[in-house]
Amino acid sequence: MLNLNTPSLSLSSSTQTTKPFTSLIIHCCNNTNNNSLYIPNKSLAIPSSSSPPPPPRPKRIILIRHGQSKGNVNENEYTQVPDPKIELTKKGFKEAEECGEKIKKLIENDGVNDWQVYFYVSPYKRTLDTLRGVGKAFDSSRIAGVREEPRLREQDFGNFQDREKMRLDKAMRIRYGRFFYRFPDGESAADVYDRITGFRETLRQDIEIGRFQPPGQRSPNMNLIIVSHGLTLRVFLMRWYKWTVEQFEGLSNFCNGGMIVMQQGYGGRYSLVVHHSPEELKEFGLTDAILADQEWQKYAKPGEFNYDCSTTGPTFFTHFNNKIK
């Protein structure tokens, strides 16, 4: 785009009007032939002095692991039923409904009347059924929308699974490393990281443009709920907070029907320590370094960078430990 403030360009007097113009004639000062450059109106972006404010960021991002599935109870299920079609058990349906009630109570404790929820969900049957169970806690007026998102699917283990071979593969994964080991005909956690990176960018864009509510009806009391799978949600947290591979490999799955709450802190960033206690997060596998960063996230503003985060510098260089003080 042309910068109208640059000294090498001048606007002709024919453009000095308060009426809308259809074109501009710009004379180049260094053009000895005094040729004019015609620029149609649509090529110039005139900033508006009354641009609307950006939409408010959702108050929370709540991560839910699906309820207990038949595959969680009996591994033989994976040998006969495609992974995307594995169903919930009766206990799994109950866990989903209980999780929905917990979320509703959490939101109602805010003491506001204009709150809503918006869901992202993996397309697997056990996550869709979990979504429906969670959704029973909410009236239709409280549900702003649902998006089925294939990038939130479970880690691919390779079509129908042979039980004994899968046990060997999982034992090999422990030896090789939980993040980088790729199952034959399937994925590694690193592969999941790549697709979650794409989903995170979609989520950020949705937040920035306020996709969850139409203009005129936007509220800071929106709550996003992501219904997915254990490893996928751990990778999501890893990607969002930029945790290292070593830190990821120290994490544990949260229970079926369990949830992790990323809630806005005082500066507007999402932090795990706003809702969860340090003891609870340590049980999940968070280190002292991660907890310290989460405490910073609790007070920081969007766009700020934690320059004192121990995971971004000194911990990578062991020679600092030998420095004579």
Side-chain angles (χ1 to χ4, degrees), residues 2 4 9 22 38 52 82 87 92 99 132 165 194 196 198 210 239 249 254-255 264 281 295:
L2 293 172
L4 300 185
L9 297 175
T22 58
Y38 175 80
E87 299 177 345
C99 184
R132 296 181 182 107
K165 185 176 184 303
D194 291 342
I196 286 297
R239 180 63 185 86
E249 292 186 337
F254 37 110
C255 63
Q264 274 199 53
L281 293 172
E295 191 66 28

Side-chain angles (χ1 to χ4, degrees), residues 47-53:
S48 171
S49 59
S50 59
S51 298

Side-chain angles (χ1 to χ4, degrees), residues 147-270:
R147 179 185 294 181
E148 183 178 284
E149 176 52 73
R151 289 173 292 184
L152 289 173
R153 69 187 184 273
E154 173 66 289
Q155 178 183 6
D156 290 333
F157 295 102
N159 302 324
F160 291 103
Q161 301 172 20
D162 180 273
R163 183 173 180 178
E164 294 304 317
K165 185 176 184 303
M166 184 57 62
R167 287 181 177 178
L168 293 174
D169 287 337
K170 289 184 176 180
M172 185 66 70
R173 178 176 61 175
I174 295 175
R175 291 180 54 196
Y176 192 89
R178 291 171 58 195
F179 187 75
F180 291 111
Y181 181 79
R182 178 178 289 115
F183 286 88
D185 301 319
E187 290 182 303
S188 65
D191 296 322
V192 178
Y193 184 97
D194 291 342
R195 58 175 157 88
I196 286 297
T197 294
F199 168 72
R200 178 180 179 272
E201 294 310 308
T202 297
L203 181 62
R204 287 185 60 184
Q205 184 181 49
D206 287 351
I207 291 174
E208 289 172 0
I209 67 176
R211 186 181 299 278
F212 319 107
Q213 297 166 306
Q217 301 180 26
R218 290 173 175 169
S219 165
N221 298 309
M222 174 61 68
N223 298 266
L224 304 186
I225 301 177
I226 298 176
V227 185
S228 186
H229 309 263
L231 180 135
T232 306
L233 294 175
R234 282 180 281 140
V235 170
F236 176 87
L237 289 168
M238 175 192 183
R239 180 63 185 86
W240 185 280
Y241 291 115
K242 302 177 179 62
W243 295 340
T244 65
V245 170
E246 182 179 0
Q247 289 168 334
F248 166 82
E249 292 186 337
L251 301 178
S252 302
N253 261 347
F254 37 110
C255 63
N256 290 115
M259 65 181 185
I260 291 285
V261 179
M262 303 164 58
Q263 184 164 323
Q264 274 199 53
Y266 299 104
R269 294 178 72 106
Y270 295 104

